[in-house]
Amino acid sequence: MKFLCLLSLIFLLYLNAVFAGGIANRYYLEKQRFLLEILHHVHEPLLNDQWRSLGEHLVSDKSQYVVYNEQMSDFFENFTRGRLVPREVYYNPQYPAHYQQSLGLYYFFYHTRDWITLWQNICWARVHVNPGMFLQALSQVLLKREDYQALVMPKIYELWPEAFHNEVTVRSARNFNFANWIRQQDTFTSQPLEVQQILPQELQPIRLEGDLRSSTKWFEAMADVHILRLKEHRRGLHRLQHLIEDIGWQSYWYYINMGIAQTENSSQELQEWWYNQVGQLLARYKLERYGQQLPYKRLTLQEADNLRTPHLLTWLNQRFQLVTPTSSKKVTQALQYLEASVADAISTHRFMLNNGSNINLEADDNWRLGLKELFPFDLTQLQLESSNEPQLLLDLRTSLRSTEFYYYAERLLLSYRRYRQALQPSPKPSFRPTELRIDSMDITPLITYDEPVDVDLSNLLHARHFHYDGHFMWPFTLQQRQYRLQQEPFSFSLQITSNKTQSIVLRLFLTTAESGSGAVNREPFYQLDSFLTVLYEGVNRITRDSRQISGLIGDHISLTELHQYVRLAEQEEFDFPLNISTPNCGFPRRLILPRGGQRQPLRLRLLIVATVYDFKARQANELNCDFSKGVSRWDELPLGYPFERYLEVEDEALHLWGDHTFWQSVEINHVDRFRHE
């Protein structure tokens, strides 16, 4: 309690020093510039003499920490005995030795009393600690400590581009030499160069959150930067690459799990939220398979073998394996044990807790105790001795590229939903609103297209390009033109007749065109939207725009632009907004619809479910990966309702049919808006 009070005091002092009408002052800008420079080319030796000098020693004085715990003592002992994970080793927090050391380093950051101590420890770790471990611990601190959450951490796919781009792209960027490229410009050739300079206004997309790429200040910030574009390399040929190779799709999984790790109040609500996110990702993946006419109802490992992704490299030039036989065996055994334990709990209605207590799952809320112990959700607790080598499945940055992931996720969710269906009490009938009827729905055309986008690869370049005479500079940026799935904004309107004034929550799900009794559990239901509205007596027309859907994010400025904006603000030529970046745990708005059909439209259905509002809505901060205050929700119904459980036929009639629900057929078309270069 004393520790929390002290952190709150530090937080208030920091807010007074930093925030001034939502604009950063010089104290903030100094910290932000330091953060960008210390993370620049994090895998290479630190070239800044000032930071190297400051990082000669780890602060070992225990009085400089609010708490000095056992993990910190173990870490310091490992350091003094020369047992830290070597810098030239692939780091993975699923490997026990790696995780324990990263936890100790995290606390050496998190428990510091002041910025000066944290500053020195960061510099020390940047010089002496494995880059992956350093980034893991620092990312956790910036997510968890309120007094540093205002600082902008570059996106993970800009810090570690290797994990998000294929081997050909990575090698081309690493081999780029600016001096040689300049000489090539003076040599006439009829062959187009692999790297070409472009004008600032040619960068895509033009529309960023906050219009930060279309202002005169942006042109001022980028005036001294040469913008170079690496040509697009041919991508894989499989039909799901536009989803599973999307950097926004991949990084979403990384960030939500980073946010959950080391959360002190690791509650059942957080468990419920995590399993709902897994369900959302699986449903969205299955809708993409359905749209591409691939098997989707029950996934198999054999189907996963048929969808291989391009080779990926680590920063050490190691190739990612899909998954090793040892890891596959471990994961399969863990799932088999879980499935057997769930089946036993359902059949006997009893469960043996970790403390040895044998409980009756039908008594009181005991089913929640069983749920908590049966279904872990913090992936840092999944420790595998075989994970000390790069595997797509076991690295949070690449997990969603692995088609095995979705097979294992389906098995996990099936056990989770069966447990809840058998042992969770059914919602009280009062959740169904009375005296209303959803009459009709109108929706604007649903259109997807491939959008050109430039991705910042500057961290793949050699660090020598950014240091001149001991000074850090940013003379050029390397971007790669890619094409990604995008959609047109859409809107819908509902006509609802009500015999009284009442507040309701509307949930909107996207599913396949398949129907029939008992089909619900075989079909994916992806929750597009949920919102609160008030109905008045009579006929109500409710209109909703896709840009109003909560929990979604658009595009943010690149690492290069962020650095240049900080530089401009330090010269007092730009008011640096504290919300200049997008929230890390937001889902990409452009990916909520599966790719449409080109010759024939992709036919799907929408399900609208209305429930009574119980005036227990709560707003939390999970969008910024901060779970300290729980998660946002409209009511006390389970997250993902009514698909948080396996639905029996009689459950379908209660939850999915009636005047409080409405089914609407829709079509999605894909158009060729831009020609691939």
Side-chain angles (χ1 to χ4, degrees):
M1 180 60 72
K2 291 181 180 179
F3 173 55
L4 293 176
C5 292
L6 181 55
L7 276 187
S8 299
L9 177 60
I10 294 173
F11 178 48
L12 291 174
L13 293 174
Y14 179 72
L15 287 181
N16 290 333
V18 171
F19 292 91
I23 302 299
N25 63 18
R26 64 184 182 89
Y27 301 106
Y28 171 94
L29 293 172
E30 288 174 0
K31 295 177 176 64
Q32 184 63 64
R33 177 170 51 81
F34 163 74
L35 183 64
L36 294 178
E37 291 186 12
I38 208 74
L39 290 171
H40 188 258
H41 287 73
V42 67
H43 56 286
E44 295 189 47
L46 184 62
L47 298 180
N48 186 298
D49 292 335
Q50 179 186 358
W51 307 148
R52 275 211 319 270
S53 176
L54 185 62
E56 288 183 359
H57 302 286
L58 177 68
V59 177
S60 57
D61 181 359
K62 296 181 180 180
S63 67
Q64 297 304 309
Y65 300 94
V66 179
V67 172
Y68 197 93
N69 59 23
E70 182 180 352
Q71 289 89 347
M72 296 168 72
S73 297
D74 291 343
F75 179 86
F76 191 76
E77 182 179 353
N78 281 323
F79 164 61
T80 56
R81 293 177 179 269
R83 295 176 180 170
L84 290 184
V85 176
R87 283 184 56 86
E88 296 76 22
V89 166
Y90 166 75
Y91 166 81
N92 192 328
Q94 264 67 61
Y95 189 56
H98 292 188
Y99 173 69
Q100 289 302 321
Q101 288 192 17
S102 67
L103 199 60
L105 181 61
Y106 163 72
Y107 286 126
F108 264 107
F109 292 161
Y110 185 80
H111 289 318
T112 52
R113 289 186 179 273
D114 52 47
W115 168 255
I116 300 299
T117 306
L118 177 59
W119 187 14
Q120 180 173 336
N121 283 354
I122 289 175
C123 291
W124 175 86
R126 174 66 173 81
V127 174
H128 296 91
V129 172
N130 178 283
M133 182 186 299
F134 166 70
L135 190 58
Q136 171 91 4
L138 182 57
S139 299
Q140 286 291 342
V141 169
L142 296 182
L143 290 174
K144 300 294 188 297
R145 272 194 62 159
E146 286 185 290
D147 45 346
Y148 298 127
Q149 285 176 348
L151 293 171
V152 180
M153 189 84 167
K155 301 299 182 182
I156 187 61
Y157 45 80
E158 294 176 328
L159 293 173
W160 289 123
E162 296 90 345
F164 296 89
H165 302 281
N166 64 49
E167 179 180 352
V168 177
T169 295
V170 170
R171 293 195 186 279
S172 295
R174 284 178 176 172
N175 294 333
F176 177 74
N177 184 292
F178 188 58
N180 291 343
W181 179 83
I182 290 291
R183 284 192 289 271
Q184 284 181 308
Q185 302 305 297
D186 300 328
T187 304
F188 175 78
T189 176
S190 60
Q191 297 297 321
L193 298 176
E194 186 177 39
V195 176
Q196 296 183 340
Q197 185 165 357
I198 63 172
L199 297 173
Q201 56 267 33
E202 294 182 72
L203 270 181
Q204 293 288 346
I206 292 296
R207 297 185 183 89
L208 300 182
E209 297 284 344
D211 294 325
L212 290 167
R213 196 175 272 179
S214 56
S215 66
T216 57
K217 288 297 180 184
W218 182 81
F219 286 93
E220 289 181 36
M222 298 293 289
D224 299 329
V225 179
H226 295 279
I227 303 177
L228 308 179
R229 178 185 287 160
L230 177 67
K231 73 175 184 180
E232 180 188 24
H233 294 108
R234 186 174 182 83
R235 302 174 69 182
L237 298 177
H238 70 73
R239 288 178 280 176
L240 299 177
Q241 66 179 28
H242 57 275
L243 179 67
I244 66 174
E245 293 179 18
D246 188 283
I247 58 177
W249 174 259
Q250 292 176 248
S251 59
Y252 180 70
W253 179 249
Y254 169 84
Y255 279 118
I256 64 174
N257 284 285
M258 286 290 287
I260 284 176
Q262 273 90 64
T263 297
E264 292 187 3
N265 60 336
S266 189
S267 64
Q268 287 190 310
E269 183 184 46
L270 192 51
Q271 177 195 46
E272 180 186 29
W273 184 88
W274 188 85
Y275 277 91
N276 184 50
Q277 299 310 305
V278 176
Q280 283 283 88
L281 289 170
L282 181 63
R284 178 62 185 84
Y285 172 77
K286 285 191 168 190
L287 285 177
E288 205 65 54
R289 293 186 66 95
Y290 174 77
Q292 297 299 317
Q293 299 181 355
L294 294 169
Y296 72 94
K297 291 180 185 289
R298 282 290 179 263
L299 304 179
T300 67
L301 285 178
Q302 184 177 5
E303 290 166 0
D305 289 338
N306 295 329
L307 292 171
R308 290 310 183 200
T309 59
H311 291 300
L312 297 181
L313 297 175
T314 70
W315 66 275
L316 295 164
N317 280 326
Q318 300 165 293
R319 276 189 174 178
F320 275 92
Q321 301 180 60
L322 296 168
V323 61
T324 64
T326 302
S327 295
S328 181
K329 181 179 179 181
K330 288 279 188 182
V331 174
T332 300
Q333 287 176 341
L335 277 172
Q336 289 173 341
Y337 179 78
L338 171 67
E339 289 162 349
S341 299
V342 169
D344 185 63
I346 291 174
S347 63
T348 65
H349 289 192
R350 303 198 68 83
F351 182 72
M352 179 76 73
L353 299 177
N354 292 335
N355 63 10
S357 302
N358 193 305
I359 61 172
N360 178 3
L361 294 172
E362 294 182 298
D364 303 321
D365 269 353
N366 283 354
W367 71 274
R368 294 185 181 275
L369 298 177
L371 187 76
K372 181 179 180 180
E373 294 201 1
L374 278 169
F375 296 96
F377 60 95
D378 182 349
L379 289 184
T380 60
Q381 305 309 305
L382 176 62
Q383 299 290 285
L384 298 173
E385 291 289 347
S386 61
S387 61
N388 62 337
E389 51 191 339
Q391 301 172 60
L392 288 183
L393 180 65
L394 299 181
D395 192 307
L396 291 178
R397 299 164 299 177
T398 61
S399 294
L400 297 194
R401 269 185 180 253
S402 166
T403 45
E404 286 89 349
F405 171 88
Y406 306 97
Y407 165 76
Y408 292 126
E410 182 180 54
R411 287 181 61 178
L412 176 64
L413 282 169
L414 184 59
S415 292
Y416 178 78
R417 289 169 174 168
R418 285 191 182 280
Y419 179 93
R420 296 194 73 142
Q421 185 275 328
L423 297 167
Q424 170 186 303
S426 298
K428 297 177 181 178
S430 58
F431 77 92
R432 292 183 58 164
T434 60
E435 301 185 60
L436 71 74
R437 182 181 68 253
I438 304 177
D439 300 312
S440 63
M441 178 184 192
D442 295 317
I443 187 166
T444 59
L446 302 179
I447 297 173
T448 63
Y449 59 95
D450 293 325
E451 177 189 48
V453 60
D454 292 296
V455 181
D456 197 331
L457 302 180
S458 299
N459 243 14
L460 286 173
L461 302 172
H462 198 283
R464 65 174 179 268
H465 292 304
F466 298 86
H467 289 266
Y468 296 87
D469 295 328
H471 297 286
F472 181 82
M473 303 178 66
W474 206 295
F476 63 92
T477 178
L478 183 63
Q479 308 278 324
Q480 186 187 41
R481 170 57 57 88
Q482 297 179 357
Y483 286 82
R484 66 183 187 183
L485 186 63
Q486 182 60 279
Q487 69 202 21
E488 288 283 359
F490 61 91
S491 62
F492 62 89
S493 62
L494 296 169
Q495 180 176 304
I496 303 179
T497 301
S498 178
N499 294 331
K500 63 181 180 180
T501 298
Q502 56 182 315
S503 298
I504 62 169
V505 175
L506 288 168
R507 292 171 170 85
L508 191 71
F509 297 90
L510 185 64
T511 188
T512 67
E514 304 294 322
S515 60
S517 178
V520 168
N521 294 307
R522 297 193 299 269
E523 303 304 319
F525 282 81
Y526 176 71
Q527 185 168 325
L528 277 179
D529 194 10
S530 63
F531 61 97
L532 173 67
T533 190
V534 178
L535 300 179
Y536 299 95
E537 185 176 352
V539 177
N540 298 262
R541 175 67 69 173
I542 299 166
T543 301
R544 182 84 166 170
D545 190 280
S546 62
R547 287 163 290 197
Q548 296 176 282
I549 300 176
S550 62
L552 305 179
I553 57 171
D555 290 302
H556 69 100
I557 60 174
S558 68
L559 173 58
T560 300
E561 293 164 299
L562 179 59
H563 177 270
Q564 294 304 103
Y565 267 129
V566 170
R567 184 185 62 83
L568 197 66
E570 287 189 309
Q571 297 170 1
E572 299 184 353
E573 297 177 9
F574 174 65
D575 291 333
F576 190 94
L578 292 171
N579 62 345
I580 197 169
S581 184
T582 55
N584 285 324
C585 281
F587 187 76
R589 181 178 289 111
R590 56 189 172 78
L591 292 180
I592 60 174
L593 296 181
R595 185 186 181 95
Q598 287 185 286
R599 296 176 182 174
Q600 296 291 331
L602 172 60
R603 292 180 172 84
L604 300 170
R605 291 182 299 161
L606 287 171
L607 167 65
I608 300 95
V609 179
T611 57
V612 171
Y613 177 52
D614 59 10
F615 296 92
K616 293 183 179 179
R618 185 167 70 252
Q619 179 67 47
N621 195 30
E622 71 275 5
L623 195 63
N624 290 299
C625 309
D626 177 10
F627 297 95
S628 59
K629 296 178 177 63
V631 298
S632 303
R633 59 194 312 145
W634 285 116
D635 48 35
E636 290 193 331
L637 284 173
L639 297 173
Y641 167 84
F643 302 106
E644 87 288 354
R645 62 172 71 201
Y646 188 90
L647 292 174
E648 301 289 359
V649 175
E650 58 270 21
D651 296 323
E652 291 185 33
L654 174 66
H655 299 287
L656 307 182
W657 302 100
D659 289 342
H660 70 297
T661 66
F662 191 83
W663 294 82
Q664 174 73 37
S665 297
V666 295
E667 296 180 345
I668 305 178
N669 287 282
H670 188 84
V671 299
D672 287 326
R673 183 152 299 171
F674 298 94
R675 182 176 62 86
H676 287 225
E677 298 171 355

